[in-house]
Amino acid sequence: METKKIKQQKKKVLLMGKSGAGKSSMRSIIFSNHNAKDVRRLGATIDVDKKRVKFLGNLILDIWDCGGQDAFTETYLTSQKSTIFPDVGVLIYVFDVESHTFSRDLSTYAAIVSALSDHSPGARVFTLVHKMDLVASEFRDHIITQKSAQISDHSGRFARSMDIYGTSIWDETLYRAWGGIVNSLIPNLDTVKRGLRTLAQATEAEEVVLFEQATFLTVTRVGSEMGDRNPYKDRYERLSNIIKTFRNSLLTYAGAAQTNLTKPAFEEFAIKTRLFNLIIEKLTHNTYVLLVFPPGEVELECTRLNVLAAREDFSRMEQVAEVPDT
């Protein structure tokens, strides 16, 4: 049977916001394998720092990390407007929650989304109210609600379709936001989800979660009725954070280069209890899969066989033609 090639999808992602808001730090944590302590040493971005990231098999993210100094922002909105804003798939705009010039930040943001509307009207907009760890926990919901209303009022045509997240590099909120961002760009997500549903039925799994192997962002998940009753709604982002930290520690222990994200650190991680089994297993070159399923040694071995059998189908979804760098 001939395998149908899936054309790679290149998506331009603008990462913008005031200088010092934390744009480059979050990008480095998600895509460059840094931890939160490492990014303190990062300097300010000068002009536009472009990075191409392969996500899954058929999605290429062209991330344009735009320096947020006033002089650079002015050029983005004038002489570089026809370079920066055309063909954008996603704009990620980062606000510093403790900014003393938030009104001015909103005015700059309004000018940015206006330029985006002129050149890429079909783009998705995500705004991140960042450094939420600096806000006392009992005030965070109120602050997010307040900031969200102000941001929406300055978002123009994007106000109804945009997403707003409160984030911090010190917890799982960063993974929740970036997981949502990347999910909006995956072209064959429905196909992947159908494959996970078939795997869940074959293994009687309460929950099946697919992670991208380099970033450990959650790609998608399916669950049974029991799995959907799990009260911990942020468990996927927590898992992303925990597993990536575990993976990085393995790479460090093995002496692997910190930037070598293409080589898997482990093939399988398993937990066996009286109440359930859990495995995290390498599924394809680009993904890991987590399954929670009934207890027992037989159930564990059968699930391993089912994952092995599913690898060919999931790999076929990712088979693509190479796209040359431009």
Side-chain angles (χ1 to χ4, degrees), residues 8-21:
Q8 281 189 328
Q9 302 285 324
K10 289 198 291 183
K11 298 290 186 179
K12 182 177 177 181
V13 178
L14 292 184
L15 181 57
M16 307 188 82
K18 182 180 177 181
S19 179

Side-chain angles (χ1 to χ4, degrees), residues 9 34 76-77 96 131 144 146 173 222 251 268:
Q9 302 285 324
H34 289 85
Y76 304 152
L77 294 169
D96 184 344
K131 303 183 182 179
I144 285 293
Q146 181 186 65
T173 55
V222 297
L251 289 174
E268 181 189 273

Side-chain angles (χ1 to χ4, degrees), residues 11 21 32 70 152 216 218 220 274 277 288 297 312-313:
K11 298 290 186 179
S32 299
D70 290 344
S152 294
F216 267 100
T218 302
T220 190
R274 290 188 304 106
N277 282 319
Y288 280 90
E297 196 65 36
E312 183 177 351
D313 287 338

